[in-house]
Amino acid sequence: MDGLKFTTSLDNSFSKSMNQSRGKSAVGPRIIAVLVIVLIILHQDYWFWDNDTLVLGIMPLALFYHICISIAASGVWVLATKIAWPEETIARIEHGNRAGTAVSKSDSVSESAGGAD
Amino acid sequence: MAREGLLQLLVITVYLVALLALGLFSNRLFKGTKQDYQLASHSIGPFLLLMSLFGTTMTAFALVGSTGEAFREGVGVYGLLASSSGIVHSLCFFVVGVKVWTLARKNGYTTQIEFFRDRLDSNFIGLLLFPILVGLVIPYLLIGVISSGATIQALTAGLAPDWFPAMLADGTTVNKPLHGGIPPWLGSLVICSVVLVYVFFGGMRGTTWANTFQTIIFMLLGVVTFYVIATKLGGEDSLLANLQKLGASIPTEKATRGEISKTKFLTYLLIPLSVGMFPHLFQHWMTARSANAFKLPVIWHPIFIMIVWVPCILLGVWAAGSLMPSSPPLPTLPNGTVDPNKVLPFLVNTQTSQWLSGFLAAGILAAIMSSLDSQFLCIGTIFNNDIVTHYFGKHGITDRRQVLYTRLFIILIVAITYFLSLGNVRSVFALGVWCFSGFTALFPIVVAALYWRGLSAAGAISGIFAAIISWCILFYYGLQVPVSEGGLSNFLIRVPFGNDSFEIMPVAVMILSSLVTMVAVSLVTPKPRPETLAKFFND
């Protein structure tokens, strides 16, 4: 029961923090989570383990395949910035900073001491 | 024809002078505040953030080590270390970096320890993490300092045989690949001094600019070196014809992954998680002007890794192939096997001009220094913020004095690292993977701190103890592996399953220990106060 509560709260917290834009659902972060899992599975390409084919006569298949994984990873991250970026959280923080609500913990000490000597 | 090693020395010298000039120039923009020195006043935009994060995560291993490992184990090294990092590093930037940035800007943190202390309402966690983080960063620093000395020596060989003789273990035979080169103690000293000067004067702004400059240098030089060596080894008219000819020369065992076990390949995927707990990356994240500045690094990091690693991997497997000239022979270790770390410098020395050799030396040093600078600055920062200011600054320490303390601690750490680097070289290289494993073992703590309100201080502290205790136990067992069987760096855990046994990386046990302990203890111990949680969770 406690384990279930733990998973649910972690999932909710992750989804909410990754995408809190009004009008957008939490589908974006979930799509990205699924795609990352797919990438990790594809990364374990046991099916090409002993395959020594040269792609275009230039490079071994194992290397070519993993270059494709690198490119696919970049593609997933492009998508992540489009559908799973926590825009609202960022906007709220940046608005707060502009309004002067965020002060470095030790800056406040320095300021109270009269700033730089 | 110039004296052997002279042009290389000239190029290295010009490069180091340019770096010093960049560091000193960035000092002219220094505002005199602690925030400017440690975080460049949160002024770093997307491009500089991309370059500095990439430069910081890529060490000498990306150029020299990848070629050597590919020579030894074949093309599987790319999947083992590069494509996995492309997935995991960006994941850490996205899931940890962006979130940490928003919380740190909201609550005013500069270091990881400030974040954990506040999140868990615990001073003890700061005291616990300080020695652990410093202890794990120092081996990482040592790898860079030692590699820089070794690189300069190998690429300036022949410069001054009378001044800098290099002999084999028997004391009478000349060690030709190193004879006459600038000795490692001197090369490392120069590199430490240059990094110290630009970090001392330039702070985070100087470090970020230097990282950007150095990242551009080592990426460009990697590609140029690849083209020149492919042309020389292939001997055909077009690049495509050379690539095809060299592709056909790769031995079958290097074109497949027969020499890497599948479970080792799987558990190696955990190693790149270490970037989520690197204290120097945490500090770089804090320099971002806005959270949106993270988009560029998140997207381009896998592609940048590919640009640097693919040429190096191909050079490594070509060197093991039939088109590699047999004379002069590849440099060997005392036991007669080829020294993998010398494969790239050797290819450059024998297959390219002295000029390019000098430029490549500069490229390798760029990769090394772009990690060293951030690590030195970070240790100075956590010492000032988490020890001096936190415990002795109750009545206020001025910004100028805090910058001074940060700088003094940087000098101390540079000196300690330099003197440690004069010790046993080989064991330090093995510490590389172990220091990454230590950071990975702490990764569950940072993820839980960001996404699980149920994490308690006792849970986090127990998780950290579990990570470190499991690290120490496995390290002890690793030390028992004889050097003839690969020593510490080749230590794997064998898990019996039926009639078979599977090899797994020690890091898998470490991360599991910290994760299980952290969750179990958190479930039965008091949670942080509601007002504390409200600072970190909006829902």
Side-chain angles (χ1 to χ4, degrees), chain B residues 1 33 106 126 129 191 199 214 218-219 252 261 333 353 398 421 438 450 475 509 515 535:
Chain B
M1 178 102 179
T33 63
K106 182 179 161 195
L129 276 176
I191 293 301
V199 173
Q214 301 194 91
F218 77 72
M219 287 179 77
T252 305
S261 86
L333 291 166
S353 66
T398 61
S421 76
L450 291 170
F475 187 75
V509 175
L515 178 65
K535 288 163 68 179

PDB file of all heavy atoms in Angstrom, chain B residues 1 33 106 126 129 191 199 214 218-219 252 261 333 353 398 421 438 450 475 509 515 535:
ATOM      1  N   MET B   1      63.283  21.152 -41.943  1.00  0.00           N
ATOM      2  CA  MET B   1      62.447  20.424 -40.956  1.00  0.00           C
ATOM      3  C   MET B   1      62.834  20.864 -39.546  1.00  0.00           C
ATOM      4  O   MET B   1      64.004  20.858 -39.175  1.00  0.00           O
ATOM      5  CB  MET B   1      62.690  18.919 -41.139  1.00  0.00           C
ATOM      6  CG  MET B   1      61.945  18.046 -40.167  1.00  0.00           C
ATOM      7  SD  MET B   1      60.502  17.311 -40.920  1.00  0.00           S
ATOM      8  CE  MET B   1      59.878  16.364 -39.564  1.00  0.00           C
ATOM      9  N   THR B  33      31.276  40.727  -7.168  1.00  0.00           N
ATOM     10  CA  THR B  33      30.379  40.061  -6.220  1.00  0.00           C
ATOM     11  C   THR B  33      30.604  38.553  -6.225  1.00  0.00           C
ATOM     12  O   THR B  33      31.098  37.992  -7.210  1.00  0.00           O
ATOM     13  CB  THR B  33      28.897  40.302  -6.570  1.00  0.00           C
ATOM     14  OG1 THR B  33      28.646  39.716  -7.844  1.00  0.00           O
ATOM     15  CG2 THR B  33      28.575  41.787  -6.614  1.00  0.00           C
ATOM     16  N   LYS B 106      14.407  30.092  -7.324  1.00  0.00           N
ATOM     17  CA  LYS B 106      13.332  30.502  -6.418  1.00  0.00           C
ATOM     18  C   LYS B 106      13.860  30.669  -4.989  1.00  0.00           C
ATOM     19  O   LYS B 106      13.519  31.621  -4.295  1.00  0.00           O
ATOM     20  CB  LYS B 106      12.243  29.421  -6.457  1.00  0.00           C
ATOM     21  CG  LYS B 106      11.027  29.724  -5.602  1.00  0.00           C
ATOM     22  CD  LYS B 106      10.033  28.575  -5.767  1.00  0.00           C
ATOM     23  CE  LYS B 106       9.032  28.561  -4.635  1.00  0.00           C
ATOM     24  NZ  LYS B 106       8.306  27.301  -4.573  1.00  0.00           N
ATOM     25  N   GLY B 126      24.556  18.210   4.961  1.00  0.00           N
ATOM     26  CA  GLY B 126      25.609  19.038   4.363  1.00  0.00           C
ATOM     27  C   GLY B 126      26.975  18.577   4.802  1.00  0.00           C
ATOM     28  O   GLY B 126      27.900  18.446   3.992  1.00  0.00           O
ATOM     29  N   LEU B 129      27.707  15.271   3.021  1.00  0.00           N
ATOM     30  CA  LEU B 129      27.966  15.340   1.585  1.00  0.00           C
ATOM     31  C   LEU B 129      29.283  16.043   1.247  1.00  0.00           C
ATOM     32  O   LEU B 129      29.915  15.707   0.246  1.00  0.00           O
ATOM     33  CB  LEU B 129      26.819  16.073   0.874  1.00  0.00           C
ATOM     34  CG  LEU B 129      25.595  15.240   0.514  1.00  0.00           C
ATOM     35  CD1 LEU B 129      24.510  16.122  -0.080  1.00  0.00           C
ATOM     36  CD2 LEU B 129      25.938  14.118  -0.471  1.00  0.00           C
ATOM     37  N   ILE B 191      49.927  23.047 -16.855  1.00  0.00           N
ATOM     38  CA  ILE B 191      48.472  23.011 -17.087  1.00  0.00           C
ATOM     39  C   ILE B 191      47.714  23.457 -15.827  1.00  0.00           C
ATOM     40  O   ILE B 191      46.787  24.265 -15.900  1.00  0.00           O
ATOM     41  CB  ILE B 191      48.040  21.576 -17.494  1.00  0.00           C
ATOM     42  CG1 ILE B 191      48.625  21.227 -18.871  1.00  0.00           C
ATOM     43  CG2 ILE B 191      46.518  21.433 -17.515  1.00  0.00           C
ATOM     44  CD1 ILE B 191      48.215  22.145 -20.003  1.00  0.00           C
ATOM     45  N   VAL B 199      40.851  30.510 -13.839  1.00  0.00           N
ATOM     46  CA  VAL B 199      39.735  30.335 -12.890  1.00  0.00           C
ATOM     47  C   VAL B 199      39.837  31.391 -11.789  1.00  0.00           C
ATOM     48  O   VAL B 199      38.844  32.005 -11.400  1.00  0.00           O
ATOM     49  CB  VAL B 199      39.750  28.913 -12.277  1.00  0.00           C
ATOM     50  CG1 VAL B 199      38.713  28.789 -11.172  1.00  0.00           C
ATOM     51  CG2 VAL B 199      39.470  27.872 -13.350  1.00  0.00           C
ATOM     52  N   GLN B 214      37.461  26.063 -25.792  1.00  0.00           N
ATOM     53  CA  GLN B 214      38.148  24.771 -25.822  1.00  0.00           C
ATOM     54  C   GLN B 214      37.282  23.682 -26.468  1.00  0.00           C
ATOM     55  O   GLN B 214      37.791  22.806 -27.149  1.00  0.00           O
ATOM     56  CB  GLN B 214      38.544  24.373 -24.407  1.00  0.00           C
ATOM     57  CG  GLN B 214      39.441  25.413 -23.791  1.00  0.00           C
ATOM     58  CD  GLN B 214      40.134  24.943 -22.543  1.00  0.00           C
ATOM     59  OE1 GLN B 214      41.228  24.414 -22.610  1.00  0.00           O
ATOM     60  NE2 GLN B 214      39.523  25.122 -21.401  1.00  0.00           N
ATOM     61  N   PHE B 218      38.515  21.371 -29.578  1.00  0.00           N
ATOM     62  CA  PHE B 218      38.698  19.910 -29.627  1.00  0.00           C
ATOM     63  C   PHE B 218      37.729  19.227 -30.578  1.00  0.00           C
ATOM     64  O   PHE B 218      38.040  18.185 -31.153  1.00  0.00           O
ATOM     65  CB  PHE B 218      38.805  19.253 -28.250  1.00  0.00           C
ATOM     66  CG  PHE B 218      37.556  19.053 -27.442  1.00  0.00           C
ATOM     67  CD1 PHE B 218      36.604  18.096 -27.797  1.00  0.00           C
ATOM     68  CD2 PHE B 218      37.360  19.762 -26.279  1.00  0.00           C
ATOM     69  CE1 PHE B 218      35.490  17.878 -27.015  1.00  0.00           C
ATOM     70  CE2 PHE B 218      36.238  19.559 -25.487  1.00  0.00           C
ATOM     71  CZ  PHE B 218      35.297  18.621 -25.857  1.00  0.00           C
ATOM     72  N   MET B 219      36.565  19.842 -30.812  1.00  0.00           N
ATOM     73  CA  MET B 219      35.653  19.242 -31.806  1.00  0.00           C
ATOM     74  C   MET B 219      36.207  19.401 -33.219  1.00  0.00           C
ATOM     75  O   MET B 219      36.220  18.457 -34.011  1.00  0.00           O
ATOM     76  CB  MET B 219      34.272  19.890 -31.701  1.00  0.00           C
ATOM     77  CG  MET B 219      33.518  19.448 -30.454  1.00  0.00           C
ATOM     78  SD  MET B 219      31.914  20.208 -30.288  1.00  0.00           S
ATOM     79  CE  MET B 219      30.971  19.273 -31.478  1.00  0.00           C
ATOM     80  N   THR B 252      37.233  -8.690 -37.829  1.00  0.00           N
ATOM     81  CA  THR B 252      35.854  -9.059 -37.478  1.00  0.00           C
ATOM     82  C   THR B 252      35.562  -8.869 -35.990  1.00  0.00           C
ATOM     83  O   THR B 252      34.518  -8.352 -35.608  1.00  0.00           O
ATOM     84  CB  THR B 252      35.603 -10.537 -37.849  1.00  0.00           C
ATOM     85  OG1 THR B 252      35.935 -10.680 -39.221  1.00  0.00           O
ATOM     86  CG2 THR B 252      34.157 -10.935 -37.629  1.00  0.00           C
ATOM     87  N   SER B 261      30.483  -8.380 -22.605  1.00  0.00           N
ATOM     88  CA  SER B 261      29.322  -9.192 -22.207  1.00  0.00           C
ATOM     89  C   SER B 261      28.057  -8.332 -22.256  1.00  0.00           C
ATOM     90  O   SER B 261      28.102  -7.121 -22.023  1.00  0.00           O
ATOM     91  CB  SER B 261      29.530  -9.800 -20.821  1.00  0.00           C
ATOM     92  OG  SER B 261      29.128  -8.900 -19.820  1.00  0.00           O
ATOM     93  N   LEU B 333      53.139  -1.459 -23.419  1.00  0.00           N
ATOM     94  CA  LEU B 333      53.269  -1.405 -21.961  1.00  0.00           C
ATOM     95  C   LEU B 333      54.444  -2.301 -21.562  1.00  0.00           C
ATOM     96  O   LEU B 333      54.929  -3.094 -22.384  1.00  0.00           O
ATOM     97  CB  LEU B 333      51.968  -1.920 -21.320  1.00  0.00           C
ATOM     98  CG  LEU B 333      50.734  -1.031 -21.486  1.00  0.00           C
ATOM     99  CD1 LEU B 333      49.471  -1.796 -21.111  1.00  0.00           C
ATOM    100  CD2 LEU B 333      50.873   0.222 -20.630  1.00  0.00           C
ATOM    101  N   SER B 353      51.349  15.684 -39.885  1.00  0.00           N
ATOM    102  CA  SER B 353      52.504  16.581 -39.790  1.00  0.00           C
ATOM    103  C   SER B 353      52.741  16.999 -38.336  1.00  0.00           C
ATOM    104  O   SER B 353      51.892  16.791 -37.471  1.00  0.00           O
ATOM    105  CB  SER B 353      52.225  17.829 -40.620  1.00  0.00           C
ATOM    106  OG  SER B 353      51.151  18.536 -40.028  1.00  0.00           O
ATOM    107  N   THR B 398      31.525  39.630   3.961  1.00  0.00           N
ATOM    108  CA  THR B 398      31.291  40.426   2.756  1.00  0.00           C
ATOM    109  C   THR B 398      31.549  39.602   1.500  1.00  0.00           C
ATOM    110  O   THR B 398      32.282  38.605   1.539  1.00  0.00           O
ATOM    111  CB  THR B 398      32.218  41.648   2.727  1.00  0.00           C
ATOM    112  OG1 THR B 398      33.552  41.171   2.705  1.00  0.00           O
ATOM    113  CG2 THR B 398      31.972  42.556   3.917  1.00  0.00           C
ATOM    114  N   SER B 421      49.012  13.926  -8.083  1.00  0.00           N
ATOM    115  CA  SER B 421      49.214  13.437  -9.461  1.00  0.00           C
ATOM    116  C   SER B 421      50.630  12.918  -9.668  1.00  0.00           C
ATOM    117  O   SER B 421      50.902  12.211 -10.639  1.00  0.00           O
ATOM    118  CB  SER B 421      48.915  14.547 -10.477  1.00  0.00           C
ATOM    119  OG  SER B 421      49.983  15.468 -10.518  1.00  0.00           O
ATOM    120  N   GLY B 438      30.476   6.226  -7.870  1.00  0.00           N
ATOM    121  CA  GLY B 438      30.093   6.845  -6.602  1.00  0.00           C
ATOM    122  C   GLY B 438      29.026   7.912  -6.809  1.00  0.00           C
ATOM    123  O   GLY B 438      28.030   7.965  -6.070  1.00  0.00           O
ATOM    124  N   LEU B 450      13.806  15.846  -5.584  1.00  0.00           N
ATOM    125  CA  LEU B 450      13.087  16.726  -6.524  1.00  0.00           C
ATOM    126  C   LEU B 450      11.641  16.296  -6.748  1.00  0.00           C
ATOM    127  O   LEU B 450      10.769  17.133  -6.984  1.00  0.00           O
ATOM    128  CB  LEU B 450      13.812  16.747  -7.876  1.00  0.00           C
ATOM    129  CG  LEU B 450      15.172  17.446  -7.895  1.00  0.00           C
ATOM    130  CD1 LEU B 450      15.885  17.183  -9.221  1.00  0.00           C
ATOM    131  CD2 LEU B 450      15.001  18.948  -7.688  1.00  0.00           C
ATOM    132  N   PHE B 475      34.897  -1.625  -3.672  1.00  0.00           N
ATOM    133  CA  PHE B 475      36.236  -1.117  -4.003  1.00  0.00           C
ATOM    134  C   PHE B 475      37.297  -2.029  -3.381  1.00  0.00           C
ATOM    135  O   PHE B 475      38.295  -2.366  -4.017  1.00  0.00           O
ATOM    136  CB  PHE B 475      36.382   0.317  -3.480  1.00  0.00           C
ATOM    137  CG  PHE B 475      37.657   0.993  -3.906  1.00  0.00           C
ATOM    138  CD1 PHE B 475      37.817   1.448  -5.206  1.00  0.00           C
ATOM    139  CD2 PHE B 475      38.693   1.192  -3.003  1.00  0.00           C
ATOM    140  CE1 PHE B 475      38.995   2.071  -5.599  1.00  0.00           C
ATOM    141  CE2 PHE B 475      39.868   1.816  -3.383  1.00  0.00           C
ATOM    142  CZ  PHE B 475      40.021   2.260  -4.689  1.00  0.00           C
ATOM    143  N   VAL B 509      24.990  -2.569  -8.119  1.00  0.00           N
ATOM    144  CA  VAL B 509      24.759  -2.925  -6.713  1.00  0.00           C
ATOM    145  C   VAL B 509      24.704  -1.657  -5.849  1.00  0.00           C
ATOM    146  O   VAL B 509      23.866  -1.517  -4.961  1.00  0.00           O
ATOM    147  CB  VAL B 509      25.879  -3.871  -6.220  1.00  0.00           C
ATOM    148  CG1 VAL B 509      25.747  -4.155  -4.733  1.00  0.00           C
ATOM    149  CG2 VAL B 509      25.842  -5.171  -7.011  1.00  0.00           C
ATOM    150  N   LEU B 515      19.113   3.144  -3.301  1.00  0.00           N
ATOM    151  CA  LEU B 515      17.689   3.334  -3.616  1.00  0.00           C
ATOM    152  C   LEU B 515      16.800   2.613  -2.595  1.00  0.00           C
ATOM    153  O   LEU B 515      15.879   3.206  -2.018  1.00  0.00           O
ATOM    154  CB  LEU B 515      17.406   2.819  -5.034  1.00  0.00           C
ATOM    155  CG  LEU B 515      15.970   2.888  -5.512  1.00  0.00           C
ATOM    156  CD1 LEU B 515      15.509   4.333  -5.623  1.00  0.00           C
ATOM    157  CD2 LEU B 515      15.798   2.204  -6.868  1.00  0.00           C
ATOM    158  N   LYS B 535       7.977  24.799  -0.154  1.00  0.00           N
ATOM    159  CA  LYS B 535       8.981  25.518  -0.962  1.00  0.00           C
ATOM    160  C   LYS B 535       9.387  24.735  -2.203  1.00  0.00           C
ATOM    161  O   LYS B 535       9.960  25.275  -3.136  1.00  0.00           O
ATOM    162  CB  LYS B 535      10.237  25.779  -0.114  1.00  0.00           C
ATOM    163  CG  LYS B 535      10.041  26.845   0.943  1.00  0.00           C
ATOM    164  CD  LYS B 535      11.125  26.799   2.004  1.00  0.00           C
ATOM    165  CE  LYS B 535      12.496  27.206   1.498  1.00  0.00           C
ATOM    166  NZ  LYS B 535      13.506  27.156   2.572  1.00  0.00           N
TER     167      LYS B 535
END
